[in-house]
Each structure stands twice: as structure tokens, then as C-alpha cells.
Amino acid sequence: MSDFDAGVALVLGGSGGVGSAIVAQLAAAGTDVAATYRNNRAGAEAAADAARAHGRTATTHALDLSDGEATAALLTELASRFGAIHSVIHAVGPRIDQPYLSQVSPEQWTTAVHADLDGFFHVVRAAIPHLRASQGTLVAITSAGVHRTPVGDVLSVAPKAAVEALVRTVAKEEGRFGVRANNVALGVIEAGMFLDLREREFDQSWIDAATRNTPLRRFGTADEVAHVAVFLASRRSSYVTGQTIRVDGGYAV
């Protein structure tokens, strides 16, 4: 028996390491899935293939979240094709540099905010009518750095803090329509952007320090994130809204 109502779950950023794990686990939990990508079509198709292996329909869609009209059009298309959008999971993690705040240029700041926060605003604005219709759920993948400030991570953490505020606003304002909204705040996850940063910037001393700062003394996996995201998107969390669940191995404690 499915943990979801009829319709489709939409995963923004379904081509990344965390997003693709969410796509697969949504299908395993019994729902059709649509996954978006910006450049990594191969990653999105691999995620869709994993979903189809569970006997579900899975579609992939190129999407630039900075285009609000295109975002709204895609959601309308999916609602028409599948009958409803019951869940929207935002798993987009733009690649960023890691300067100290004193070294951040106005151009870097504008680019980070536009890519992360403005894109999420377009998603929320487009999703609300569909989630009202389905009494659906919004889940945003954010950062444990919002809750325990790391150095050199302001270009990620500052926009993600605003994303969390938007999610709480949706929970507060749209709950009367049966809409739920929650955040999943990530620590160091061995997938996606972390793998790129490890190659470019993180030496062994960084890895050792990050491990010591995590009570579980290890980094997380994409599947561990996906378990929580799918729970929050499903009927199993039907009385949970406005919350942030930290999947960070205890980093923010």
C-alpha cells in the first residue's frame, strides 16, 4: 500500500546525489515521480530509471529555476498529466565557493542569492495552488549550517536560512488549506556538492576536523537524507508541519 495519495511527487534537483536518492525512494514508497535537472540530464535519467525499477512512472524535465514562468508551466503540465501534484521536494544545491564573509564580492552574493533563494521563491509561488488542490506537502533540503554557523559557508547558509523562513511561512499560512511544509537540514553528506568541494578545496585536515565536530564521527549518505525527506512528504508525517529535521549526525547539537 502506498504512503501517498494519487498524483505525482516533483523533485527539483533530481539529478544530484541527494535528489536522485529521493527520487528512487519516493518510487519505492509507492508514487510516480518527476525529476528536474539544469545541466545533468544523465543524472536525472539514471534517477528516473531507478524509480522505474520500482514499477512507477518517472519523467525528467530540464528546468532553470530562475525562470518563474517556466517553473509554473512545468507544474501545470505535471498536474494535468498525473491528475495532481501531492509533493514538491526542493533538493537543489547550487555549487558555491567558500570565502569568508569579508571576502565575498557583491557579485558572488547576488549570484548565490539568485540561484538558491530566488529560485526557491519561484517554486513556492508556483506550487501553492497545486498543493492547496491536493492538500499536499512541501519539503526543502537546507543546511545544518543554518543552526550552527560554519566558517566560509555564508554563500550557502544565508540563502538556506531564508529558504527555511519561506517554508515556515508556507506552513503557517497554508495549513488552513491542508498544506504541510518542512525542512531537512543537512550536515556533511557524502554526495553531490560535497564530493566536488572535497576534490577542489577540502584537505585531510578539514575532513578530520569535520568528523570530530560530528558526534556520530562519520558523514551521512544520500539514502539517509532521502529516508527523512520521503517521510515528510508522505502521509506518515500527516501531523508534522513547520519543522526542521536535522540530518547531520549531531553536528548542530
Side-chain angles (χ1 to χ4, degrees):
M1 181 176 177
S2 174
D3 294 329
F4 295 91
D5 295 325
V8 69
L10 171 61
V11 181
L12 290 309
S15 63
V18 169
S20 60
I22 293 171
V23 168
Q25 289 197 28
L26 283 165
T31 183
D32 296 334
V33 191
T36 75
Y37 64 94
R38 183 168 183 180
N39 298 309
N40 186 9
R41 179 177 181 179
E45 292 295 343
D49 286 343
R52 295 177 190 123
H54 293 286
R56 307 304 310 192
T57 298
T59 61
T60 61
H61 309 268
L63 182 64
D64 181 348
L65 293 181
S66 68
D67 187 338
E69 291 185 2
T71 301
L74 175 60
L75 269 70
T76 299
E77 173 192 337
L78 292 173
S80 176
R81 175 174 178 176
F82 290 93
I85 299 173
H86 59 67
S87 305
V88 174
I89 299 97
H90 186 267
V92 176
R95 298 220 185 296
I96 51 128
D97 295 323
Q98 290 205 304
Y100 279 37
L101 177 58
S102 61
Q103 301 166 341
V104 173
S105 70
E107 293 76 20
Q108 284 177 306
W109 177 262
T110 299
T111 298
V113 170
H114 181 63
D116 211 350
L117 179 56
D118 293 349
F120 184 67
F121 168 76
H122 292 313
V123 169
V124 170
R125 189 169 183 272
I128 283 174
H130 299 289
L131 296 180
R132 284 181 178 179
S134 65
Q135 295 191 327
T137 61
L138 172 68
V139 179
I141 306 301
T142 65
S143 171
V146 173
H147 308 278
R148 179 183 173 185
T149 303
V151 299
D153 207 26
V154 68
L155 292 177
S156 173
V157 169
K160 286 291 192 289
V163 165
E164 290 198 358
L166 281 175
V167 169
R168 290 192 297 271
T169 299
V170 172
K172 190 79 168 183
E173 295 181 353
E174 301 299 322
R176 58 188 170 143
F177 300 106
V179 176
R180 297 186 297 108
N182 295 284
N183 298 296
V184 181
L186 307 190
V188 179
I189 305 299
E190 291 195 275
M193 185 167 57
F194 169 73
L195 300 181
D196 179 56
L197 287 170
R198 185 169 63 185
E199 290 295 321
R200 292 190 292 121
E201 298 189 26
F202 297 159
D203 58 17
Q204 190 59 45
S205 64
W206 189 98
I207 299 294
D208 292 342
T211 303
R212 287 195 304 271
N213 279 327
T214 304
L216 288 183
R217 296 296 192 270
R218 67 173 179 86
F219 299 150
T221 69
D223 281 340
E224 288 173 316
V225 177
H227 287 309
V228 177
V230 171
F231 166 72
L232 289 174
S234 77
R235 287 196 301 262
R236 292 180 180 234
S237 61
S238 57
Y239 202 55
V240 179
T241 194
Q243 304 303 306
T244 297
I245 297 180
R246 298 192 292 264
V247 182
D248 65 355
Y251 169 79
V253 172

